[in-house]
Amino acid sequence: MDLKLIGHFASTDDARVARDAIAILTEAAELERDEGRLEYGEPPQMFSDRLLEAMSDTGVHSLGHADVEQFLYDAHVEAQDADVVVRTEEIDVLAYVKVLIAKGARVEIYSMHDHDSAVLMSDE
């Protein structure tokens, strides 16, 4: 897909907090996978204490069981000034959207195949 998600935040600090939340949730998902509790295509029936703690620590409580797997997909996440940019070949990106919105972002998503320029949204 070559998708690009951009979460626009009010400040650089807000963007860093969102990027860090994604990193914490990704690490928790990876540990779940490594310990055999999370497999591709088989969402967990219940959240482990580790996943619940990660959601609580990040203040992201809107993730569903099927969303957690998305943090295992190959994605590049970085903070650029007051933006968080996520690049991935995956189509399932709702987990990232949920984190960005929960952290206060205005979000845009587009295919880099069709739009390879910089930020598309106009300031309102």
Side-chain angles (χ1 to χ4, degrees):
M1 291 301 308
D2 199 11
L3 292 181
K4 186 173 190 178
L5 291 76
I6 303 174
H8 302 281
F9 291 89
S11 72
T12 300
D13 288 341
D14 292 342
R16 287 186 187 137
V17 167
R19 180 206 55 208
D20 292 348
I22 291 171
I24 289 167
L25 293 163
T26 298
E27 181 180 345
E30 289 170 346
L31 288 170
E32 292 296 296
R33 179 199 57 212
D34 294 347
E35 293 176 4
R37 289 190 296 271
L38 180 59
E39 293 184 34
Y40 291 105
E42 295 183 28
Q45 297 302 310
M46 294 179 56
F47 289 127
S48 68
D49 290 342
R50 175 182 291 123
L51 286 172
L52 288 172
E53 183 178 341
M55 287 187 271
S56 180
D57 289 350
T58 60
V60 178
H61 303 285
S62 58
L63 296 173
H65 293 104
D67 298 327
V68 175
E69 176 183 328
Q70 294 169 26
F71 292 113
L72 299 178
Y73 300 159
D74 187 29
H76 178 74
V77 181
E78 65 181 331
Q80 298 177 350
D81 299 319
D83 295 335
V84 171
V85 178
V86 180
R87 291 283 307 267
T88 183
E89 295 290 329
E90 302 294 333
I91 188 67
D92 293 325
V93 294
L94 188 56
Y96 295 100
V97 172
K98 286 180 176 183
V99 173
L100 294 173
I101 290 173
K103 294 299 176 188
R106 179 178 57 159
V107 179
E108 65 179 302
I109 305 171
Y110 56 91
S111 168
M112 291 297 292
H113 293 295
D114 298 316
H115 306 281
D116 62 2
S117 62
V119 176
L120 298 176
M121 272 187 168
S122 62
D123 289 333
E124 296 175 10

mmCIF file of all heavy atoms in Angstrom, residues 35-82:
data_model
loop_
_atom_site.group_PDB
_atom_site.id
_atom_site.type_symbol
_atom_site.label_atom_id
_atom_site.label_comp_id
_atom_site.label_asym_id
_atom_site.label_seq_id
_atom_site.Cartn_x
_atom_site.Cartn_y
_atom_site.Cartn_z
ATOM 1 N N GLU A 35 6.372 -14.240 23.623
ATOM 2 C CA GLU A 35 5.974 -15.188 24.666
ATOM 3 C C GLU A 35 4.828 -16.094 24.219
ATOM 4 O O GLU A 35 4.277 -16.839 25.019
ATOM 5 C CB GLU A 35 5.627 -14.429 25.943
ATOM 6 C CG GLU A 35 6.860 -13.757 26.540
ATOM 7 C CD GLU A 35 6.571 -12.914 27.763
ATOM 8 O OE1 GLU A 35 5.411 -12.877 28.228
ATOM 9 O OE2 GLU A 35 7.516 -12.275 28.271
ATOM 10 N N GLY A 36 4.464 -16.015 22.931
ATOM 11 C CA GLY A 36 3.475 -16.928 22.363
ATOM 12 C C GLY A 36 2.025 -16.579 22.646
ATOM 13 O O GLY A 36 1.141 -17.395 22.411
ATOM 14 N N ARG A 37 1.751 -15.378 23.122
ATOM 15 C CA ARG A 37 0.367 -14.992 23.421
ATOM 16 C C ARG A 37 -0.271 -14.161 22.321
ATOM 17 O O ARG A 37 -1.456 -13.826 22.403
ATOM 18 C CB ARG A 37 0.318 -14.226 24.749
ATOM 19 C CG ARG A 37 0.566 -15.110 25.952
ATOM 20 C CD ARG A 37 0.259 -14.369 27.242
ATOM 21 N NE ARG A 37 1.149 -13.243 27.449
ATOM 22 C CZ ARG A 37 2.319 -13.294 28.080
ATOM 23 N NH1 ARG A 37 2.760 -14.440 28.538
ATOM 24 N NH2 ARG A 37 3.056 -12.218 28.239
ATOM 25 N N LEU A 38 0.496 -13.819 21.286
ATOM 26 C CA LEU A 38 -0.039 -13.021 20.188
ATOM 27 C C LEU A 38 0.548 -13.558 18.889
ATOM 28 O O LEU A 38 1.768 -13.639 18.742
ATOM 29 C CB LEU A 38 0.346 -11.543 20.371
ATOM 30 C CG LEU A 38 -0.125 -10.556 19.309
ATOM 31 C CD1 LEU A 38 -1.646 -10.555 19.195
ATOM 32 C CD2 LEU A 38 0.371 -9.152 19.628
ATOM 33 N N GLU A 39 -0.339 -13.961 17.991
ATOM 34 C CA GLU A 39 0.087 -14.480 16.703
ATOM 35 C C GLU A 39 -0.625 -13.714 15.600
ATOM 36 O O GLU A 39 -1.760 -13.273 15.765
ATOM 37 C CB GLU A 39 -0.254 -15.959 16.589
ATOM 38 C CG GLU A 39 0.531 -16.839 17.542
ATOM 39 C CD GLU A 39 0.229 -18.302 17.335
ATOM 40 O OE1 GLU A 39 -0.018 -18.698 16.181
ATOM 41 O OE2 GLU A 39 0.236 -19.035 18.332
ATOM 42 N N TYR A 40 0.054 -13.589 14.456
ATOM 43 C CA TYR A 40 -0.560 -12.935 13.304
ATOM 44 C C TYR A 40 -1.845 -13.673 12.925
ATOM 45 O O TYR A 40 -1.868 -14.893 12.863
ATOM 46 C CB TYR A 40 0.395 -12.932 12.097
ATOM 47 C CG TYR A 40 1.587 -12.037 12.274
ATOM 48 C CD1 TYR A 40 2.835 -12.561 12.537
ATOM 49 C CD2 TYR A 40 1.450 -10.661 12.181
ATOM 50 C CE1 TYR A 40 3.934 -11.739 12.701
ATOM 51 C CE2 TYR A 40 2.544 -9.825 12.341
ATOM 52 C CZ TYR A 40 3.780 -10.378 12.601
ATOM 53 O OH TYR A 40 4.860 -9.550 12.766
ATOM 54 N N GLY A 41 -2.899 -12.920 12.707
ATOM 55 C CA GLY A 41 -4.170 -13.498 12.270
ATOM 56 C C GLY A 41 -5.019 -14.072 13.381
ATOM 57 O O GLY A 41 -6.120 -14.542 13.137
ATOM 58 N N GLU A 42 -4.517 -14.044 14.606
ATOM 59 C CA GLU A 42 -5.274 -14.569 15.742
ATOM 60 C C GLU A 42 -5.255 -13.559 16.881
ATOM 61 O O GLU A 42 -4.408 -13.621 17.767
ATOM 62 C CB GLU A 42 -4.680 -15.897 16.213
ATOM 63 C CG GLU A 42 -4.808 -16.998 15.185
ATOM 64 C CD GLU A 42 -4.284 -18.328 15.706
ATOM 65 O OE1 GLU A 42 -4.324 -18.548 16.931
ATOM 66 O OE2 GLU A 42 -3.830 -19.124 14.878
ATOM 67 N N PRO A 43 -6.189 -12.597 16.853
ATOM 68 C CA PRO A 43 -6.192 -11.588 17.918
ATOM 69 C C PRO A 43 -6.436 -12.240 19.281
ATOM 70 O O PRO A 43 -7.123 -13.254 19.379
ATOM 71 C CB PRO A 43 -7.350 -10.664 17.546
ATOM 72 C CG PRO A 43 -8.123 -11.354 16.490
ATOM 73 C CD PRO A 43 -7.285 -12.436 15.919
ATOM 74 N N PRO A 44 -5.838 -11.673 20.304
ATOM 75 C CA PRO A 44 -6.040 -12.239 21.643
ATOM 76 C C PRO A 44 -7.497 -12.112 22.067
ATOM 77 O O PRO A 44 -8.185 -11.157 21.703
ATOM 78 C CB PRO A 44 -5.125 -11.385 22.525
ATOM 79 C CG PRO A 44 -4.962 -10.105 21.781
ATOM 80 C CD PRO A 44 -5.051 -10.449 20.326
ATOM 81 N N GLN A 45 -7.968 -13.094 22.812
ATOM 82 C CA GLN A 45 -9.339 -13.048 23.327
ATOM 83 C C GLN A 45 -9.450 -12.136 24.546
ATOM 84 O O GLN A 45 -10.503 -11.580 24.818
ATOM 85 C CB GLN A 45 -9.815 -14.460 23.678
ATOM 86 C CG GLN A 45 -9.866 -15.381 22.472
ATOM 87 C CD GLN A 45 -10.779 -14.847 21.384
ATOM 88 O OE1 GLN A 45 -11.923 -14.486 21.647
ATOM 89 N NE2 GLN A 45 -10.280 -14.770 20.161
ATOM 90 N N MET A 46 -8.342 -12.016 25.252
ATOM 91 C CA MET A 46 -8.286 -11.141 26.420
ATOM 92 C C MET A 46 -6.951 -10.409 26.389
ATOM 93 O O MET A 46 -5.960 -10.938 25.897
ATOM 94 C CB MET A 46 -8.383 -11.951 27.712
ATOM 95 C CG MET A 46 -9.709 -12.637 27.923
ATOM 96 S SD MET A 46 -9.746 -13.605 29.448
ATOM 97 C CE MET A 46 -9.311 -12.388 30.675
ATOM 98 N N PHE A 47 -6.937 -9.206 26.923
ATOM 99 C CA PHE A 47 -5.681 -8.476 27.045
ATOM 100 C C PHE A 47 -4.915 -8.997 28.260
ATOM 101 O O PHE A 47 -5.487 -9.205 29.325
ATOM 102 C CB PHE A 47 -5.931 -6.982 27.233
ATOM 103 C CG PHE A 47 -6.436 -6.287 25.999
ATOM 104 C CD1 PHE A 47 -7.580 -5.525 26.054
ATOM 105 C CD2 PHE A 47 -5.758 -6.388 24.795
ATOM 106 C CE1 PHE A 47 -8.048 -4.867 24.926
ATOM 107 C CE2 PHE A 47 -6.214 -5.742 23.662
ATOM 108 C CZ PHE A 47 -7.364 -4.978 23.725
ATOM 109 N N SER A 48 -3.633 -9.184 28.073
ATOM 110 C CA SER A 48 -2.782 -9.582 29.197
ATOM 111 C C SER A 48 -2.589 -8.383 30.114
ATOM 112 O O SER A 48 -2.873 -7.237 29.755
ATOM 113 C CB SER A 48 -1.419 -10.051 28.675
ATOM 114 O OG SER A 48 -0.708 -8.944 28.133
ATOM 115 N N ASP A 49 -2.067 -8.656 31.294
ATOM 116 C CA ASP A 49 -1.756 -7.567 32.222
ATOM 117 C C ASP A 49 -0.767 -6.597 31.592
ATOM 118 O O ASP A 49 -0.869 -5.390 31.777
ATOM 119 C CB ASP A 49 -1.194 -8.118 33.535
ATOM 120 C CG ASP A 49 -2.245 -8.844 34.366
ATOM 121 O OD1 ASP A 49 -3.462 -8.647 34.116
ATOM 122 O OD2 ASP A 49 -1.849 -9.611 35.261
ATOM 123 N N ARG A 50 0.199 -7.130 30.823
ATOM 124 C CA ARG A 50 1.205 -6.285 30.171
ATOM 125 C C ARG A 50 0.542 -5.325 29.190
ATOM 126 O O ARG A 50 0.849 -4.138 29.172
ATOM 127 C CB ARG A 50 2.228 -7.136 29.444
ATOM 128 C CG ARG A 50 3.218 -6.280 28.649
ATOM 129 C CD ARG A 50 4.233 -7.092 27.877
ATOM 130 N NE ARG A 50 5.143 -7.747 28.803
ATOM 131 C CZ ARG A 50 5.344 -9.062 28.864
ATOM 132 N NH1 ARG A 50 4.727 -9.866 28.047
ATOM 133 N NH2 ARG A 50 6.195 -9.559 29.729
ATOM 134 N N LEU A 51 -0.359 -5.822 28.353
ATOM 135 C CA LEU A 51 -1.037 -4.950 27.384
ATOM 136 C C LEU A 51 -1.930 -3.932 28.089
ATOM 137 O O LEU A 51 -1.972 -2.768 27.694
ATOM 138 C CB LEU A 51 -1.843 -5.773 26.387
ATOM 139 C CG LEU A 51 -1.031 -6.507 25.327
ATOM 140 C CD1 LEU A 51 -1.928 -7.446 24.523
ATOM 141 C CD2 LEU A 51 -0.342 -5.518 24.405
ATOM 142 N N LEU A 52 -2.637 -4.368 29.115
ATOM 143 C CA LEU A 52 -3.480 -3.435 29.869
ATOM 144 C C LEU A 52 -2.638 -2.342 30.524
ATOM 145 O O LEU A 52 -3.018 -1.169 30.526
ATOM 146 C CB LEU A 52 -4.296 -4.189 30.921
ATOM 147 C CG LEU A 52 -5.421 -5.055 30.390
ATOM 148 C CD1 LEU A 52 -6.019 -5.904 31.509
ATOM 149 C CD2 LEU A 52 -6.498 -4.202 29.715
ATOM 150 N N GLU A 53 -1.485 -2.722 31.045
ATOM 151 C CA GLU A 53 -0.588 -1.736 31.657
ATOM 152 C C GLU A 53 -0.060 -0.754 30.610
ATOM 153 O O GLU A 53 0.007 0.449 30.858
ATOM 154 C CB GLU A 53 0.576 -2.441 32.347
ATOM 155 C CG GLU A 53 1.513 -1.498 33.056
ATOM 156 C CD GLU A 53 2.645 -2.228 33.778
ATOM 157 O OE1 GLU A 53 2.532 -3.431 34.045
ATOM 158 O OE2 GLU A 53 3.649 -1.555 34.070
ATOM 159 N N ALA A 54 0.283 -1.254 29.434
ATOM 160 C CA ALA A 54 0.779 -0.379 28.360
ATOM 161 C C ALA A 54 -0.306 0.604 27.934
ATOM 162 O O ALA A 54 -0.031 1.792 27.725
ATOM 163 C CB ALA A 54 1.251 -1.205 27.173
ATOM 164 N N MET A 55 -1.536 0.131 27.819
ATOM 165 C CA MET A 55 -2.634 1.033 27.449
ATOM 166 C C MET A 55 -2.880 2.060 28.549
ATOM 167 O O MET A 55 -3.104 3.242 28.266
ATOM 168 C CB MET A 55 -3.902 0.237 27.136
ATOM 169 C CG MET A 55 -3.816 -0.487 25.804
ATOM 170 S SD MET A 55 -5.363 -1.258 25.310
ATOM 171 C CE MET A 55 -5.181 -2.852 26.072
ATOM 172 N N SER A 56 -2.814 1.619 29.787
ATOM 173 C CA SER A 56 -3.007 2.540 30.904
ATOM 174 C C SER A 56 -1.873 3.571 30.967
ATOM 175 O O SER A 56 -2.126 4.773 31.126
ATOM 176 C CB SER A 56 -3.070 1.755 32.212
ATOM 177 O OG SER A 56 -3.249 2.623 33.304
ATOM 178 N N ASP A 57 -0.639 3.110 30.817
ATOM 179 C CA ASP A 57 0.516 4.011 30.869
ATOM 180 C C ASP A 57 0.484 5.063 29.774
ATOM 181 O O ASP A 57 0.934 6.190 29.971
ATOM 182 C CB ASP A 57 1.824 3.224 30.765
ATOM 183 C CG ASP A 57 2.134 2.415 32.007
ATOM 184 O OD1 ASP A 57 1.443 2.594 33.040
ATOM 185 O OD2 ASP A 57 3.066 1.580 31.947
ATOM 186 N N THR A 58 -0.035 4.696 28.606
ATOM 187 C CA THR A 58 -0.069 5.619 27.473
ATOM 188 C C THR A 58 -1.356 6.425 27.408
ATOM 189 O O THR A 58 -1.440 7.387 26.647
ATOM 190 C CB THR A 58 0.100 4.865 26.141
ATOM 191 O OG1 THR A 58 -0.971 3.920 26.000
ATOM 192 C CG2 THR A 58 1.445 4.157 26.071
ATOM 193 N N GLY A 59 -2.364 6.027 28.184
ATOM 194 C CA GLY A 59 -3.649 6.719 28.142
ATOM 195 C C GLY A 59 -4.443 6.413 26.883
ATOM 196 O O GLY A 59 -5.327 7.171 26.499
ATOM 197 N N VAL A 60 -4.140 5.298 26.245
ATOM 198 C CA VAL A 60 -4.854 4.876 25.036
ATOM 199 C C VAL A 60 -5.727 3.690 25.413
ATOM 200 O O VAL A 60 -5.231 2.583 25.613
ATOM 201 C CB VAL A 60 -3.870 4.497 23.899
ATOM 202 C CG1 VAL A 60 -4.624 4.008 22.684
ATOM 203 C CG2 VAL A 60 -2.990 5.685 23.550
ATOM 204 N N HIS A 61 -7.030 3.935 25.509
ATOM 205 C CA HIS A 61 -7.953 2.900 25.975
ATOM 206 C C HIS A 61 -8.930 2.461 24.897
ATOM 207 O O HIS A 61 -9.857 1.701 25.172
ATOM 208 C CB HIS A 61 -8.723 3.419 27.195
ATOM 209 C CG HIS A 61 -7.828 3.848 28.308
ATOM 210 N ND1 HIS A 61 -7.162 2.957 29.119
ATOM 211 C CD2 HIS A 61 -7.445 5.082 28.724
ATOM 212 C CE1 HIS A 61 -6.434 3.613 29.994
ATOM 213 N NE2 HIS A 61 -6.578 4.904 29.774
ATOM 214 N N SER A 62 -8.727 2.903 23.665
ATOM 215 C CA SER A 62 -9.681 2.616 22.598
ATOM 216 C C SER A 62 -9.269 1.451 21.710
ATOM 217 O O SER A 62 -9.949 1.148 20.740
ATOM 218 C CB SER A 62 -9.876 3.865 21.731
ATOM 219 O OG SER A 62 -8.627 4.282 21.189
ATOM 220 N N LEU A 63 -8.169 0.778 22.040
ATOM 221 C CA LEU A 63 -7.715 -0.329 21.209
ATOM 222 C C LEU A 63 -8.563 -1.571 21.424
ATOM 223 O O LEU A 63 -8.863 -1.932 22.561
ATOM 224 C CB LEU A 63 -6.253 -0.663 21.510
ATOM 225 C CG LEU A 63 -5.238 0.422 21.189
ATOM 226 C CD1 LEU A 63 -3.864 0.021 21.699
ATOM 227 C CD2 LEU A 63 -5.205 0.701 19.701
ATOM 228 N N GLY A 64 -8.915 -2.206 20.329
ATOM 229 C CA GLY A 64 -9.619 -3.486 20.390
ATOM 230 C C GLY A 64 -8.630 -4.626 20.260
ATOM 231 O O GLY A 64 -7.455 -4.422 19.936
ATOM 232 N N HIS A 65 -9.117 -5.825 20.488
ATOM 233 C CA HIS A 65 -8.243 -6.996 20.431
ATOM 234 C C HIS A 65 -7.560 -7.136 19.071
ATOM 235 O O HIS A 65 -6.390 -7.477 18.985
ATOM 236 C CB HIS A 65 -9.029 -8.258 20.786
ATOM 237 C CG HIS A 65 -9.472 -8.271 22.211
ATOM 238 N ND1 HIS A 65 -10.771 -8.023 22.588
ATOM 239 C CD2 HIS A 65 -8.776 -8.464 23.356
ATOM 240 C CE1 HIS A 65 -10.863 -8.073 23.901
ATOM 241 N NE2 HIS A 65 -9.676 -8.340 24.389
ATOM 242 N N ALA A 66 -8.283 -6.875 17.995
ATOM 243 C CA ALA A 66 -7.713 -7.009 16.653
ATOM 244 C C ALA A 66 -6.704 -5.906 16.336
ATOM 245 O O ALA A 66 -5.867 -6.074 15.448
ATOM 246 C CB ALA A 66 -8.825 -7.016 15.611
ATOM 247 N N ASP A 67 -6.760 -4.788 17.045
ATOM 248 C CA ASP A 67 -5.839 -3.676 16.788
ATOM 249 C C ASP A 67 -4.412 -3.976 17.223
ATOM 250 O O ASP A 67 -3.455 -3.516 16.605
ATOM 251 C CB ASP A 67 -6.300 -2.404 17.512
ATOM 252 C CG ASP A 67 -7.646 -1.901 17.048
ATOM 253 O OD1 ASP A 67 -7.952 -2.066 15.848
ATOM 254 O OD2 ASP A 67 -8.382 -1.339 17.874
ATOM 255 N N VAL A 68 -4.263 -4.752 18.277
ATOM 256 C CA VAL A 68 -2.948 -4.976 18.880
ATOM 257 C C VAL A 68 -1.967 -5.582 17.880
ATOM 258 O O VAL A 68 -0.801 -5.204 17.827
ATOM 259 C CB VAL A 68 -3.074 -5.857 20.142
ATOM 260 C CG1 VAL A 68 -1.709 -6.191 20.711
ATOM 261 C CG2 VAL A 68 -3.932 -5.158 21.180
ATOM 262 N N GLU A 69 -2.441 -6.498 17.054
ATOM 263 C CA GLU A 69 -1.584 -7.154 16.069
ATOM 264 C C GLU A 69 -0.920 -6.147 15.123
ATOM 265 O O GLU A 69 0.203 -6.365 14.660
ATOM 266 C CB GLU A 69 -2.410 -8.147 15.258
ATOM 267 C CG GLU A 69 -1.643 -8.821 14.143
ATOM 268 C CD GLU A 69 -2.530 -9.737 13.321
ATOM 269 O OE1 GLU A 69 -3.483 -10.328 13.860
ATOM 270 O OE2 GLU A 69 -2.250 -9.862 12.123
ATOM 271 N N GLN A 70 -1.576 -5.044 14.861
ATOM 272 C CA GLN A 70 -1.045 -4.056 13.916
ATOM 273 C C GLN A 70 0.288 -3.475 14.377
ATOM 274 O O GLN A 70 1.093 -3.038 13.549
ATOM 275 C CB GLN A 70 -2.073 -2.955 13.674
ATOM 276 C CG GLN A 70 -3.304 -3.467 12.964
ATOM 277 C CD GLN A 70 -4.426 -2.464 12.949
ATOM 278 O OE1 GLN A 70 -4.197 -1.263 13.024
ATOM 279 N NE2 GLN A 70 -5.648 -2.956 12.851
ATOM 280 N N PHE A 71 0.545 -3.491 15.662
ATOM 281 C CA PHE A 71 1.825 -2.992 16.163
ATOM 282 C C PHE A 71 2.974 -3.947 15.842
ATOM 283 O O PHE A 71 4.140 -3.598 16.013
ATOM 284 C CB PHE A 71 1.758 -2.722 17.663
ATOM 285 C CG PHE A 71 0.853 -1.574 18.014
ATOM 286 C CD1 PHE A 71 -0.321 -1.789 18.707
ATOM 287 C CD2 PHE A 71 1.163 -0.285 17.627
ATOM 288 C CE1 PHE A 71 -1.166 -0.739 19.027
ATOM 289 C CE2 PHE A 71 0.324 0.778 17.930
ATOM 290 C CZ PHE A 71 -0.847 0.546 18.634
ATOM 291 N N LEU A 72 2.653 -5.155 15.357
ATOM 292 C CA LEU A 72 3.680 -6.103 14.936
ATOM 293 C C LEU A 72 4.078 -5.911 13.481
ATOM 294 O O LEU A 72 5.098 -6.435 13.041
ATOM 295 C CB LEU A 72 3.192 -7.545 15.133
ATOM 296 C CG LEU A 72 2.845 -7.963 16.557
ATOM 297 C CD1 LEU A 72 2.328 -9.392 16.552
ATOM 298 C CD2 LEU A 72 4.027 -7.801 17.489
ATOM 299 N N TYR A 73 3.275 -5.204 12.726
ATOM 300 C CA TYR A 73 3.549 -4.999 11.310
ATOM 301 C C TYR A 73 4.754 -4.076 11.129
ATOM 302 O O TYR A 73 5.064 -3.258 11.990
ATOM 303 C CB TYR A 73 2.341 -4.381 10.600
ATOM 304 C CG TYR A 73 1.073 -5.193 10.642
ATOM 305 C CD1 TYR A 73 -0.148 -4.581 10.437
ATOM 306 C CD2 TYR A 73 1.078 -6.563 10.885
ATOM 307 C CE1 TYR A 73 -1.328 -5.313 10.463
ATOM 308 C CE2 TYR A 73 -0.092 -7.288 10.918
ATOM 309 C CZ TYR A 73 -1.300 -6.663 10.700
ATOM 310 O OH TYR A 73 -2.458 -7.380 10.730
ATOM 311 N N ASP A 74 5.368 -4.197 9.990
ATOM 312 C CA ASP A 74 6.519 -3.355 9.669
ATOM 313 C C ASP A 74 6.034 -1.928 9.432
ATOM 314 O O ASP A 74 5.256 -1.675 8.507
ATOM 315 C CB ASP A 74 7.222 -3.898 8.424
ATOM 316 C CG ASP A 74 8.516 -3.182 8.142
ATOM 317 O OD1 ASP A 74 9.153 -2.698 9.091
ATOM 318 O OD2 ASP A 74 8.887 -3.089 6.954
ATOM 319 N N ALA A 75 6.471 -1.018 10.267
ATOM 320 C CA ALA A 75 6.103 0.393 10.140
ATOM 321 C C ALA A 75 7.260 1.238 10.646
ATOM 322 O O ALA A 75 7.962 0.859 11.585
ATOM 323 C CB ALA A 75 4.844 0.703 10.930
ATOM 324 N N HIS A 76 7.441 2.364 10.016
ATOM 325 C CA HIS A 76 8.462 3.318 10.451
ATOM 326 C C HIS A 76 7.722 4.499 11.072
ATOM 327 O O HIS A 76 6.885 5.124 10.418
ATOM 328 C CB HIS A 76 9.305 3.774 9.261
ATOM 329 C CG HIS A 76 10.335 4.776 9.635
ATOM 330 N ND1 HIS A 76 11.474 4.444 10.333
ATOM 331 C CD2 HIS A 76 10.394 6.113 9.437
ATOM 332 C CE1 HIS A 76 12.181 5.527 10.531
ATOM 333 N NE2 HIS A 76 11.558 6.554 10.005
ATOM 334 N N VAL A 77 8.018 4.781 12.329
ATOM 335 C CA VAL A 77 7.338 5.849 13.069
ATOM 336 C C VAL A 77 8.383 6.844 13.552
ATOM 337 O O VAL A 77 9.379 6.459 14.176
ATOM 338 C CB VAL A 77 6.584 5.274 14.292
ATOM 339 C CG1 VAL A 77 5.866 6.383 15.050
ATOM 340 C CG2 VAL A 77 5.612 4.180 13.865
ATOM 341 N N GLU A 78 8.144 8.118 13.255
ATOM 342 C CA GLU A 78 9.064 9.135 13.746
ATOM 343 C C GLU A 78 8.329 10.436 14.030
ATOM 344 O O GLU A 78 7.293 10.722 13.429
ATOM 345 C CB GLU A 78 10.203 9.374 12.760
ATOM 346 C CG GLU A 78 9.775 9.948 11.435
ATOM 347 C CD GLU A 78 10.941 10.152 10.483
ATOM 348 O OE1 GLU A 78 12.070 10.388 10.948
ATOM 349 O OE2 GLU A 78 10.709 10.080 9.272
ATOM 350 N N ALA A 79 8.878 11.182 14.968
ATOM 351 C CA ALA A 79 8.375 12.518 15.242
ATOM 352 C C ALA A 79 9.191 13.495 14.408
ATOM 353 O O ALA A 79 10.420 13.422 14.381
ATOM 354 C CB ALA A 79 8.513 12.847 16.728
ATOM 355 N N GLN A 80 8.490 14.373 13.701
ATOM 356 C CA GLN A 80 9.125 15.423 12.900
ATOM 357 C C GLN A 80 8.498 16.745 13.323
ATOM 358 O O GLN A 80 7.370 17.038 12.932
ATOM 359 C CB GLN A 80 8.899 15.194 11.402
ATOM 360 C CG GLN A 80 9.490 13.916 10.871
ATOM 361 C CD GLN A 80 9.163 13.697 9.399
ATOM 362 O OE1 GLN A 80 8.352 14.390 8.808
ATOM 363 N NE2 GLN A 80 9.790 12.707 8.819
ATOM 364 N N ASP A 81 9.211 17.486 14.126
ATOM 365 C CA ASP A 81 8.685 18.730 14.696
ATOM 366 C C ASP A 81 7.378 18.416 15.426
ATOM 367 O O ASP A 81 7.379 17.590 16.312
ATOM 368 C CB ASP A 81 8.519 19.807 13.627
ATOM 369 C CG ASP A 81 9.849 20.158 12.962
ATOM 370 O OD1 ASP A 81 10.860 20.242 13.682
ATOM 371 O OD2 ASP A 81 9.870 20.311 11.729
ATOM 372 N N ALA A 82 6.265 19.041 15.048
ATOM 373 C CA ALA A 82 4.990 18.825 15.737
ATOM 374 C C ALA A 82 4.137 17.755 15.053
ATOM 375 O O ALA A 82 2.933 17.682 15.265
ATOM 376 C CB ALA A 82 4.206 20.132 15.817
#
